[in-house]
Amino acid sequence: MSTPTSYKDRLSQVCDELNWVKEQFGEVAYAVVSALACQRLLLMAAGKWQEPMAGDWDAELSRVAQTFGEGGEAANLADFEKRWFGAEAALALVSADTDKVKSYVYESAKIPEVRGASGLLQDLNEKETAEELHKRLGMPPEWIIYAGGGSFLIVTPTELADQIAAEIARLYPAKTLTATITAISQPVSLSDLHSALGEQVRELGFLLKVAKLQRKVMPYFDTLPHGEFCAVCNIRPARERYGDTPDLLCASCTQKRKHSDKRRMLNKFIEFLNGEPQLREKYFRGASPEAASWAETLADIGQLGDGYVGAILADGDDIGQFVHSLETLQEYHRFAHGLEKAIEEAVFHSLATHLHCHPLSSPRGRWTHFHPFEIIALGGDDLFLIVPASIAFEVGLSIVEEFAQAKSCVLPSDLQDHHWGMSAGFLICPDHFPIYFMRAITDELLARAKQETRRKLYTQQRVPSEQAREPESYIDFLILKGAATPRRHVEELLSVLYEPGERGDVRLTERPYPLSRFRELLDLAGQLKGAGLSRTQVQAMAQALYRGREQATLEILYRLSRLPEQPRRVLDDLIQQSLRAENALFPWTEHPGARPPYRTTFLDLLELYEFVQPLQGEGGDDDAS
Ligand SMILES: [Zn+2]
């Protein structure tokens, strides 16, 4: 059915009359009862409403509100729904998810378009869609139970569900020209909404996947046979110039570039800092927040790390599992928002702690300073950042550590004994690396880390002797020094880089690492640097490891014995540890049955050395220079 303007106004009016519910029972309760009231209105308008013989609508509706509010009494929802709405469900859930986000965001190799594309999607996700739905259909924003990470969950009157889904699907290509979103709707009973939401969300997720597979219509652009192609994407016909560059851009790339000037994510960061005055002062070092801009290119960021940048990709472990075990709409709402806040705070806190605002070598207009990081994605449970290589491991690791500590704030009490954490992939590479490859490689690193996290969780649940240990998230990393763009997969690269010799008996890495072990290694690397171990000594030991197992062992032990006392003392702990461990003879650990069987963490430690700040004994200064 269509909704003439007069109905739109009446919907708004009905919702306004229920504003008291918001104050008394919260947004979720308000969303449910205002959607019920609208459904009733729409059924009346369509001549499909049948008033029951007995019952007081207002009184019963406020009992429903209580039920969906925090700790309210439980109304008989099934009875209410049946008497007032008959056999048909009164409400529906609309679920939507952005299509092919990566190809839209990483289509360009240049940072302004990537940032702009990411920002456009985020604005649509977090703000504009709600505004448009309100403007066009009179939908109150509270019906959106969750919007983040490119997806939506919306509770709606059944009569409006298809229209809302269609409007969202129309909006994305209309606003972005090239990005699309898949939206579906499914009726849901009030009782399921109240006590079996996880199950519903799981089903919607499945339907959404099917709908995505069936999608055919993609935005299409006519290309003239002799037309010029866009200088940025080289895919679509060029249309216009933007700013002071001579390049001809297509409409979509122009729009992305325009959007990159917006400061939405930076404003969030600064807002966070305003709540942390000490951190704010430390971060800005006297510079004015209004005079600080994004880095123009990744080279600005790379220049702080000798031409190298670090890409950090992380996301929450088994978030889907948690969502599916949530029962009520209220729990879902709280979990989704808590999760987002935990990630945002971990990211902002870590960036502000380990980095600081830098002066531009030549001021650009009103900008005298720049922020030495790039937030490409931060939403839902997903984050992708780029920072100077010299501090990347510390920034990434402290995000993951801080997120792990947010467990008690985010998880409902009955889920507290589940594993909670974030797996991550860190890549160090030259700053001119195409951003698309950074993302592709960190995707693989993250997948390897996640696989290990899951494998350990699985074993822990089944092997009694392992159950006492707290499960941990894993971290994988890769340091690429070559200038060439790698075409290989990570797994292949690791065997090329770390399995030297014909015998195939050694692998010079133990990645991926559990969180606590990676912290130990990183701190150890920092202490070695602080104790004055020189780069030459590091390189000599690293090279020795490539000379075959026996030769390497002898040479490493010889070199260790000749080290100055301070760095040797730092390494002594590591060696003692290795001597006590089973199947270990420094620097090797034997993994019976694995191929290759002899592995070492020593080269990983030596490689980390270059990308850590020196630590003096315990603690010390870990700020980027
Ligand atoms: Zn283009």
Side-chain angles (χ1 to χ4, degrees), residues 107 113 229-238 248-254 256:
E107 185 181 74
E113 285 82 19
F229 283 95
C230 167
V232 170
C233 66
N234 208 19
I235 298 171
R236 293 175 290 268
L248 270 175
L249 267 53
C250 73
S252 176
C253 291
T254 307
K256 288 176 181 178

Side-chain angles (χ1 to χ4, degrees), residues 449-468:
K450 274 203 170 302
Q451 190 184 23
E452 198 57 26
T453 307
R454 268 192 218 114
R455 205 173 64 80
K456 279 284 150 57
L457 273 175
Y458 184 86
T459 340
Q460 230 144 14
Q461 281 157 6
R462 279 155 191 84
V463 181
S465 61
E466 294 278 313
Q467 273 165 2

Side-chain angles (χ1 to χ4, degrees), residues 116-134:
S118 177
L120 268 164
L121 289 185
Q122 198 163 9
D123 277 0
L124 267 170
N125 192 201
E126 293 176 4
K127 201 176 85 205
E128 284 178 39
T129 301
E131 288 167 2
E132 284 288 318
L133 289 172
H134 182 68

Side-chain angles (χ1 to χ4, degrees), residues 37-317:
C38 288
Q39 172 73 357
R40 180 169 174 250
L41 184 77
L42 290 163
L43 287 174
M44 283 174 175
K48 292 193 275 184
W49 178 254
Q50 282 186 324
E51 196 76 13
M53 304 294 278
D56 178 342
W57 170 258
D58 289 333
E60 290 186 43
L61 198 63
S62 53
R63 263 205 300 286
V64 172
Q66 270 185 47
T67 308
F68 279 90
E70 300 267 0
E73 81 177 68
N76 188 334
L77 294 171
D79 175 66
F80 168 86
E81 191 165 21
K82 187 152 176 276
R83 275 189 303 111
W84 291 94
F85 293 95
E88 307 272 315
L91 301 184
L93 286 171
V94 170
S95 172
D97 187 58
T98 319
D99 303 317
K100 303 204 166 93
V101 174
K102 278 181 210 160
S103 57
Y104 175 73
V105 171
Y106 299 99
E107 185 181 74
S108 156
K110 293 181 187 160
I111 204 75
E113 285 82 19
V114 171
R115 184 197 302 137
S118 177
L120 268 164
L121 289 185
Q122 198 163 9
D123 277 0
L124 267 170
N125 192 201
E126 293 176 4
K127 201 176 85 205
E128 284 178 39
T129 301
E131 288 167 2
E132 284 288 318
L133 289 172
H134 182 68
K135 204 169 80 191
R136 290 177 169 261
L137 303 171
M139 184 188 119
E142 289 83 1
W143 289 3
I144 300 181
I145 300 301
Y146 177 69
S151 64
F152 293 91
L153 185 71
I154 305 174
V155 60
T156 85
T158 311
E159 290 284 305
L160 269 186
D162 288 346
Q163 259 177 287
I164 287 176
E167 179 60 24
I168 295 174
R170 185 197 67 80
L171 197 60
Y172 267 63
K175 292 271 176 180
T176 63
L177 306 175
T178 47
T180 60
I181 188 166
T182 304
I184 54 151
S185 71
Q186 158 123 306
V188 59
S189 75
L190 275 182
S191 342
D192 280 352
L193 210 50
H194 184 58
S195 57
L197 187 76
E199 200 51 48
Q200 296 296 317
V201 171
R202 186 202 297 267
E203 212 174 298
L204 281 166
F206 176 73
L207 291 173
L208 203 56
K209 260 188 202 148
V210 173
K212 278 185 185 251
L213 288 174
Q214 289 169 343
R215 245 198 120 82
K216 283 187 208 83
V217 196
M218 287 291 167
Y220 177 76
F221 293 85
D222 292 321
T223 312
L224 301 169
H226 305 293
E228 198 176 328
F229 283 95
C230 167
V232 170
C233 66
N234 208 19
I235 298 171
R236 293 175 290 268
R239 289 272 161 77
E240 52 194 304
R241 285 194 172 77
Y242 178 70
D244 41 14
T245 63
D247 300 341
L248 270 175
L249 267 53
C250 73
S252 176
C253 291
T254 307
Q255 197 191 28
K256 288 176 181 178
R257 189 168 286 186
K258 275 180 189 159
H259 207 86
S260 84
D261 300 340
K262 287 201 185 172
R263 295 163 51 92
R264 189 163 152 71
M265 193 50 84
L266 272 188
N267 290 340
K268 274 192 183 182
F269 176 60
I270 289 164
E271 206 176 289
F272 165 83
L273 285 180
N274 288 342
E276 308 258 342
Q278 277 188 333
L279 204 54
R280 184 189 141 105
E281 205 175 309
K282 185 219 131 291
Y283 177 81
F284 280 109
R285 296 195 171 177
S288 151
E290 286 75 36
S293 160
W294 287 113
E296 185 93 327
T297 64
L298 287 187
D300 290 341
I301 298 175
Q303 145 223 318
L304 303 171
D306 287 333
Y308 287 87
V309 292
I312 298 165
L313 180 68
D315 77 357
D317 294 330

